[in-house]
Amino acid sequence: MTVQELFKKIFFVEILKGMALTLSRLFTKPVTRRYPKEKRPAQLGFRGLHALVRNPATGDAKCVGCGLCAAICPSRCIYIYTSEGPDHQKVVDRYEIEVLRCVYCAFCVEACPFGAVVLTPHYEYADYSREDFYMTKEKLLENWDKYMGEKGFEYFDKFWNPKSTHFTTPEGQAIWRRKSG
Amino acid sequence: MIELTIDGKKIQARKGMTILDVARENNIYIPHLCWDRRLKPYGGCRLCLVEVEGQRKLMAACSTPADNGMVVHTDTPTLRKARKTVLELLLVHHPLDCPICDKAGECALQDLAYKYGPSEGRFYAERKHEPEATSALIDRNPNRCILCGRCVRVCWEHQGVGAINLIGRGFNTKISPAFEETLDCEFCGQCVDACPVGALGAKPYKYRARAWFLESHDSICPYCSVGCTLTLDLREGKILRVRGVDGKGVNQGDLCGKGRFGFDFIYGESRLKTPLVRKNGELKEVSWEEALYYVAERLKAVLKDYGPNSIGAIGSARASLEDNYMLQKFIREVIGTDNIDTSARLGYAWALKGMEETYGIKLNPIKLESPIGKEVVLVLESDLTSTHPIFGLKFLEAKNEGSHLMVVEPRRTKLARRSSEWLRIKPGTGTAYILGLINFAIKEGVHLKKEMEIEGLDELSNAVAEFTPEKVAELTGLDKERFIESARRFINAESRLIALTVGAAENQKGIETVKAAANLLMLLGEGPDALQVPADYSNTYGAWLMGLRPMNGGKDLYTMLYEPGALKALYVMGEDPLVTMPDAGRIEETFKRLELLIVQDIRLSETAKMADVVLPAASWAEKEGTFINAQGIPQPVPKVVSPTGDSIPDWQILRNIARVMEHDLGVIEFSALKEEIAKVAADSGQQRWRLVPVEYDLTEKPDNEYPIVMVTGNIMQHSGALSVMSKSLSHVLSDAFVQVSPEDAERFGVEDGGFIKIASRKGEVFIKARVSDEVPEGMLFVPVHFAHARVNMLTTASPEGRAHLTAVRIEPKG
């Protein structure tokens, strides 16, 4: 042991160095966020809770029940049940997502030809029962109103750049329009 | 044999094959949309274009015959470009509504557009047809149609109906029934399977699921005895639709309306969910345990008081082999009696008996392909395309391939309409016609040329001596020359075939018809293969093989049902005698005098309503089993859905009752049961030809008081107890009706759609009239399977197995 080392040992030099750093930090701004009180906004494209896009024109979901989201879903957690409506149109009776099984890959959002399903930036949905994580069509539409709303379209279009914009039927192309609509 | 080269591969082919046929046989892919195996080449879609060396233009593979030394290329840049353009043109007016179209995922156009097509079209146009929504079962959206014409051709060429066609020109062309009316056809749904896009769809399936949500299972149809393979598409344990898959099963992908749409009887509202026991005059829901102990006790009491011979059982022609085997095992081993029978007694049993008396054989399974290639095919008073639709199709196919199709039939059935020669006889005189043919053949001495001796010729020629052409003309109402002409053609043909059904619901044919036909064929040197009599229902043949008939002098169906007091207890499994069997009044009386009536069924039938105990059985598709079809081929029927309510398979019910009665049947598991059944040997007997004289006489002759002859039978959409439970089939036809000829309608003041009273010597019923020229003057045709019509209150049963026509009178309901 050299004299230098002995000196350090006797006078706690290392500890004092550390304490000096601690002391200096007392006078700087803290870097941690006080999470429940202080919330951090999610980044563009954060894959949080699911929502079904509400069509402002009809007030109902934009979803037509094509089932592409369910087809692409790797964890098979989307269930869609459709039936024939009174006007012989296709009606989506149930659109359900088992959130607990979801892996948040967002393939469903990419597959949707109508931009009707989205993952919102909302991430605080811990709860006590499994039922709360079984999203029905009503809950999913509510999610849209709560967490996306009007600003949603902008956010949605900017980040997700939904395929529906690419696949818009050209003007004049045959589409099936009903007389009434 | 010829040799050609496709894509550098040397291939042997038969002459007459098209390039597409050769390519398909050798697993070379050529895209196509309008081609169908069953139809003549059409060359409409231009997708199957191929390059043939030495030819300047591209050739359509589906309609170009393969030739020796041909060099064909199926995939070149030129072809890909041509296909891309063809698809682009097809998509000009095809709406891009794939997200809501039910065909998406299994659409030929979608797949091809994905494979070859452009991502964007250069031409735009729009068709504005309104989707058609009024027709039953079949949904048409003309906007999606690509006008390949497969539905039109399958309907006319293959199905022989011609209900739809292409109407309009250019952009306005669409598929439609005549005058754009609501579709009114037999609803076989063959067009739905033929459609490569989503222009035609099955209504019960509309918007129910996407193609990729479905899982498929193959099963056997529970309706008629053809035993078609159905492909059931399930989602989450519920059958959503049935498809025929090209090339699969005995039907090779063809299906009739019953098979395609009738599967939903298993979801019928009247399905039984729990056992019921009659308490204070009412059927009350009880537990299985209570029901089983009740049955066992009551059976034991009857056994003790009256002995085993007072107990009888009726099996089911629709239940599986295993269920029927278990029933006869139960009756023979636990009860110890031979009183067991099925509905086959009323029909198919007579056909077999007739053949045993003549040909000496005990079984005569049909062959589906038998009509094809025969010079003359005679269909005797049978509506084969209704009772056995897929077998019936073979007759149309035979005619298309050049056979002479003779239809001896009073009703204007589909076969009569599409026949080469339709002999419209008076109802019930088909036997007389055949006897006339025998007489004619003997007079002509045709049988002498065959140089063979069959015993009984003299007796037969004496018996038929009175059936001269004049007499036959008088009896059948045919022209004498017409008869002679048809007789010559039949007798002098190189090869021939007689087909008829002897169904439990039919009353215009009997054992004498079968014997007459067999006599005629023997005389002409034809073996039993030339006489095609298909069994009735999905497992009529199997139930017969399993010994569901008295074998040691037990009571048969006639004794059990039509002799009140003959039995004290009756066990009815999957049969509804009160609706489907003749002389229902008598049966009701028998049931009233029974001490114990046990009904084991899938639904609360009319018979079950009279029962003391009703036991719920699992139905087709809810349990494993085997059906033996009319060809004698055993086909497994898998379990694909879970049983309704508390119902369990029939054989398990019987096993459980035996256990409660403290009798070990030695069968606990399904596999053990199957092993036992495998040991049951079918005895088809030895051929020993014998001509037997046949008496011909109508049992009930029309007279002044009862001037009209009533014929009963099955129709295209309904056959017995299952089909009336089906919601889909009831969309087409749900109400009982009687067909009245326009002449009779005028004579008796009957209006189309009005209710009429039919009175026979047995009783009277009220029923809706349909004035139709399908029936001739002096004949009524009425389907029997609508329980509310109670048509069988009018009819009589014939314990001798003869034709039992009913003479009736009609009057409008006042």
Side-chain angles (χ1 to χ4, degrees):
Chain A
M1 195 179 280
T2 58
V3 180
Q4 214 170 8
E5 279 169 354
L6 197 73
F7 180 80
K8 275 185 183 173
K9 226 171 194 176
I10 295 169
F11 293 99
F12 307 114
V13 174
E14 303 286 334
I15 291 175
L16 287 175
K17 265 186 183 170
M19 292 307 286
L21 183 70
T22 311
L23 194 70
S24 74
R25 286 297 164 197
L26 274 175
F27 303 102
T28 57
K29 274 177 106 182
V31 289
T32 48
R33 292 170 203 244
R34 299 158 65 78
Y35 162 60
K37 285 181 189 151
E38 193 186 328
K39 278 169 195 166
R40 187 178 174 184
Q43 291 300 308
L44 212 57
F46 181 81
R47 303 198 286 233
L49 187 63
H50 315 68
L52 271 178
V53 179
R54 197 186 282 281
N55 188 346
T58 60
D60 199 10
K62 266 174 124 181
C63 174
V64 297
C66 73
L68 287 178
C69 47
I72 198 84
C73 183
S75 58
R76 299 275 163 122
C77 65
I78 305 179
Y79 309 100
I80 304 169
Y81 301 89
T82 53
S83 66
E84 195 179 351
D87 262 349
H88 306 292
Q89 79 278 37
K90 190 170 186 169
V91 179
V92 183
D93 298 325
R94 285 158 64 195
Y95 185 103
E96 292 163 356
I97 299 180
E98 254 188 277
V99 170
L100 288 179
R101 278 176 50 210
C102 176
V103 295
Y104 300 93
C105 65
F107 279 3
C108 49
V109 187
E110 290 185 39
C112 183
F114 289 92
V117 62
V118 67
L119 295 181
T120 65
H122 180 62
Y123 51 82
E124 296 170 293
Y125 46 94
D127 219 319
Y128 291 104
S129 73
R130 281 177 176 274
E131 281 87 75
D132 294 317
F133 295 100
Y134 196 81
M135 292 289 161
T136 58
K137 192 180 168 191
E138 291 69 35
K139 278 196 203 166
L140 288 165
L141 280 169
E142 217 172 84
N143 288 349
W144 170 263
D145 296 339
K146 267 196 214 153
Y147 310 120
M148 297 292 262
E150 276 309 304
K151 69 166 184 358
F153 284 112
E154 202 195 324
Y155 166 86
F156 193 27
D157 290 352
K158 234 187 227 162
F159 180 76
W160 287 109
N161 194 4
K163 295 288 181 287
S164 52
T165 49
H166 298 287
F167 290 141
T168 315
T169 315
E171 200 58 39
Q173 166 74 21
I175 52 166
W176 182 24
R177 295 192 190 97
R178 317 202 121 259
K179 256 185 193 160
S180 51
Chain B
M1 289 299 257
I2 51 176
E3 197 181 71
L4 66 157
T5 316
I6 302 182
D7 289 348
K9 203 168 129 189
K10 284 220 181 319
I11 290 168
Q12 300 270 331
R14 294 179 300 281
K15 226 177 156 51
M17 287 171 91
T18 63
I19 297 174
L20 187 60
D21 290 336
V22 180
R24 273 170 56 85
E25 215 167 70
N26 292 283
N27 293 326
I28 296 169
Y29 175 71
I30 298 177
H32 54 77
L33 280 174
C34 73
W35 178 87
D36 191 306
R37 178 181 56 81
R38 302 164 289 186
L39 307 173
K40 287 183 207 130
Y42 185 65
C45 70
R46 314 310 290 177
L47 267 169
C48 63
L49 293 175
V50 288
E51 259 184 283
V52 178
E53 278 181 21
Q55 297 285 346
R56 277 192 299 123
K57 52 178 191 165
L58 304 175
M59 311 293 278
C62 71
S63 49
T64 311
D67 205 357
N68 209 5
M70 229 178 201
V71 182
V72 182
H73 299 286
T74 65
D75 199 10
T76 63
T78 327
L79 285 172
R80 247 171 283 157
K81 198 176 162 201
R83 283 171 192 159
K84 187 170 174 173
T85 312
V86 167
L87 281 163
E88 195 177 348
L89 291 169
L90 278 177
L91 289 168
V92 165
H93 47 55
H94 187 85
L96 301 180
D97 63 350
C98 304
I100 54 166
C101 176
D102 279 327
K103 197 75 177 186
E106 50 185 8
C107 171
L109 183 64
Q110 202 181 34
D111 294 349
L112 288 171
Y114 192 76
K115 192 174 161 103
Y116 295 105
S119 59
E120 211 170 313
R122 286 170 290 173
F123 322 107
Y124 304 128
E126 185 172 1
R127 284 191 298 182
K128 285 171 186 156
H129 299 299
E130 266 299 286
E132 199 266 353
T134 49
S135 300
L137 295 181
I138 292 168
D139 182 60
R140 276 183 294 136
N141 187 337
N143 293 327
R144 291 184 192 142
C145 179
I146 54 163
L147 303 175
C148 67
R150 260 165 88 170
C151 51
V152 172
R153 288 175 295 135
V154 96
C155 189
W156 174 244
E157 276 179 36
H158 188 66
Q159 204 66 23
V161 179
I164 45 174
N165 210 332
L166 297 154
I167 63 166
R169 279 193 174 276
F171 257 37
N172 295 323
T173 317
K174 64 171 181 174
I175 305 284
S176 169
F179 311 112
E180 300 189 38
E181 282 182 354
T182 302
L183 198 60
D184 179 22
C185 62
E186 59 183 51
F187 294 100
C188 62
Q190 293 272 60
C191 51
V192 176
D193 272 358
C195 186
V197 293
L200 290 163
K203 266 201 180 152
Y205 175 67
K206 192 178 181 186
Y207 298 153
R208 293 288 292 282
R210 309 297 287 170
W212 51 87
F213 290 164
L214 303 170
E215 54 172 316
S216 299
H217 293 277
D218 287 348
S219 190
I220 302 300
C221 180
Y223 285 97
C224 80
S225 62
V226 175
C228 300
T229 298
L230 308 177
T231 301
L232 310 174
D233 283 343
L234 282 83
R235 185 184 184 192
E236 292 173 14
K238 191 165 189 233
I239 304 174
L240 288 187
R241 67 166 175 185
V242 165
R243 286 177 298 141
V245 175
D246 189 21
K248 224 179 221 179
V250 293
N251 51 324
Q252 296 287 297
D254 290 328
L255 289 182
C256 71
K258 272 178 283 191
R260 193 183 311 269
F261 298 112
F263 66 90
D264 59 347
F265 73 89
I266 61 169
Y267 302 120
E269 280 167 20
S270 54
R271 279 299 298 275
L272 287 167
K273 294 188 178 70
T274 51
L276 307 172
V277 166
R278 192 170 293 280
K279 288 178 182 166
N280 304 325
E282 260 183 70
L283 285 171
K284 290 269 161 57
E285 290 187 2
V286 296
S287 67
W288 265 114
E289 200 180 0
E290 192 182 339
L292 289 179
Y293 275 97
Y294 182 82
V295 169
E297 249 167 58
R298 293 288 303 270
L299 275 176
K300 272 186 195 161
V302 175
L303 266 174
K304 201 173 142 221
D305 295 347
Y306 305 100
N309 213 24
S310 62
I311 298 175
I314 297 174
S316 172
R318 288 244 163 86
S320 70
L321 215 56
E322 289 77 8
D323 298 335
N324 277 315
Y325 178 80
M326 201 66 172
L327 178 70
Q328 66 85 32
K329 196 174 163 78
F330 176 80
I331 289 298
R332 295 209 161 100
E333 288 185 18
V334 180
I335 307 291
T337 175
D338 196 32
N339 303 338
I340 188 164
D341 217 339
T342 62
S343 65
R345 177 68 48 203
L346 297 165
Y348 193 56
W350 297 116
L352 291 176
K353 186 146 191 285
M355 285 191 262
E356 194 182 348
E357 281 179 28
T358 49
Y359 280 117
I361 48 170
K362 289 193 174 122
L363 290 169
N364 190 12
I366 63 160
K367 287 183 188 63
L368 275 191
E369 304 293 332
S370 57
I372 292 160
K374 296 282 189 305
E375 192 183 324
V376 177
V377 176
L378 194 155
V379 178
L380 187 63
E381 273 200 87
S382 298
D383 191 2
L384 278 170
T385 44
S386 290
T387 53
H388 300 81
I390 304 306
F391 186 40
L393 287 185
K394 302 290 175 193
F395 290 83
L396 295 177
E397 203 179 318
K399 197 219 155 191
N400 288 345
E401 287 184 13
S403 300
H404 184 84
L405 179 62
M406 270 165 79
V407 177
V408 181
E409 167 76 53
R411 288 175 65 207
R412 196 165 59 154
T413 58
K414 187 162 92 184
L415 281 180
R417 288 200 304 271
R418 298 295 306 267
S419 63
S420 323
E421 186 177 1
W422 176 28
L423 300 156
R424 194 171 204 176
I425 55 165
K426 287 182 189 164
T429 59
T431 315
Y433 176 82
I434 297 290
L435 293 176
L437 284 185
I438 297 175
N439 186 36
F440 191 82
I442 293 175
K443 289 271 154 63
E444 294 267 296
V446 180
H447 61 290
L448 300 174
K449 289 178 204 153
K450 301 282 178 199
E451 289 177 358
M452 54 177 188
E453 279 187 20
I454 315 170
E455 54 180 296
L457 182 60
D458 295 337
E459 290 92 333
L460 181 67
S461 61
N462 286 338
V464 299
E466 57 167 318
F467 291 92
T468 56
E470 292 79 18
K471 176 82 188 294
V472 173
E474 187 203 320
L475 279 171
T476 59
L478 290 173
D479 204 44
K480 189 185 147 198
E481 273 69 46
R482 187 101 194 273
F483 166 75
I484 293 176
E485 191 194 323
S486 72
R488 282 230 168 82
R489 175 165 290 147
F490 186 80
I491 285 159
N492 296 326
E494 283 288 309
S495 56
R496 56 183 80 69
L497 178 92
I498 298 181
L500 69 150
T501 56
V502 189
E506 294 165 331
N507 65 352
Q508 78 273 46
K509 287 152 294 185
I511 186 170
E512 72 273 21
T513 322
V514 178
K515 281 202 277 191
N519 278 333
L520 175 62
L521 290 170
M522 278 192 286
L523 210 57
L524 300 170
E526 297 274 1
D529 283 351
L531 182 58
Q532 296 283 313
V533 188
D536 262 11
Y537 298 129
S538 49
N539 205 20
T540 303
Y541 195 92
W544 185 263
L545 285 185
M546 285 303 109
L548 269 272
R549 58 194 147 124
M551 311 240 262
N552 302 308
K555 297 185 175 106
D556 68 0
L557 192 80
Y558 291 104
T559 321
M560 288 197 277
L561 287 181
Y562 299 109
E563 283 178 24
L567 291 178
K568 293 293 171 197
L570 184 63
Y571 199 115
V572 181
M573 182 179 91
E575 190 59 72
D576 193 3
L578 276 180
V579 175
T580 54
M581 294 183 188
D583 203 356
R586 191 70 169 274
I587 298 175
E588 210 174 320
E589 201 184 316
T590 313
F591 284 171
K592 275 183 191 152
R593 288 189 52 183
L594 286 174
E595 288 201 359
L596 176 64
L597 175 60
I598 305 164
V599 175
Q600 179 175 316
D601 210 324
I602 63 166
R603 60 166 189 145
L604 197 65
S605 62
E606 295 300 304
T607 308
K609 283 176 191 160
M610 291 190 73
D612 296 296
V613 190
V614 184
L615 304 172
S619 81
W620 165 84
E622 293 179 349
K623 61 183 173 191
E624 251 187 294
T626 311
F627 288 156
I628 300 189
N629 69 359
Q631 295 191 81
I633 305 170
Q635 304 190 93
V637 185
K639 176 184 171 173
V640 293
V641 297
S642 48
T644 306
D646 284 345
S647 62
I648 57 173
D650 293 86
W651 70 269
Q652 284 184 12
I653 300 177
L654 291 157
R655 177 198 64 187
N656 294 353
I657 297 175
R659 276 180 181 170
V660 174
M661 289 175 84
E662 285 154 16
H663 199 293
D664 185 17
L665 282 176
V667 175
I668 298 165
E669 284 172 328
F670 188 75
S671 52
L673 186 58
K674 271 186 105 162
E675 269 169 37
E676 257 193 72
I677 288 171
K679 286 179 205 142
V680 179
D683 173 21
S684 51
Q686 277 288 317
Q687 277 198 39
R688 185 170 173 276
W689 294 16
R690 221 169 314 155
L691 293 168
V692 285
V694 180
E695 280 172 45
Y696 169 73
D697 191 20
L698 282 180
T699 40
E700 268 191 50
K701 286 205 182 68
D703 55 19
N704 278 337
E705 200 186 341
Y706 299 102
I708 301 183
V709 170
M710 185 175 84
V711 173
T712 59
N714 289 332
I715 46 174
M716 188 77 76
Q717 287 83 17
H718 285 290
S719 67
L722 290 188
S723 61
V724 287
M725 291 169 73
S726 158
K727 220 171 166 182
S728 304
L729 291 176
S730 300
H731 270 301
V732 182
L733 200 63
S734 58
D735 202 4
F737 66 91
V738 55
Q739 283 182 333
V740 186
S741 68
E743 294 86 358
D744 290 329
E746 198 166 304
R747 190 171 151 205
F748 297 100
V750 173
E751 271 178 42
D752 189 28
F755 270 86
I756 59 167
K757 183 171 94 175
I758 309 178
S760 79
R761 293 177 178 107
K762 286 266 172 189
E764 54 186 49
V765 296
F766 292 93
I767 195 167
K768 208 181 250 178
R770 271 196 196 173
V771 178
S772 155
D773 59 355
E774 268 189 29
V775 289
E777 193 179 351
M779 172 180 172
L780 298 182
F781 176 75
V782 50
V784 292
H785 26 255
F786 296 103
H788 59 280
R790 312 214 2 109
V791 175
N792 270 327
M793 296 301 276
L794 304 176
T795 50
T796 44
S798 167
E800 301 86 40
R802 306 175 61 86
H804 43 282
L805 290 164
T806 312
V808 295
R809 75 164 182 263
I810 54 170
E811 53 192 69
K813 191 187 168 198

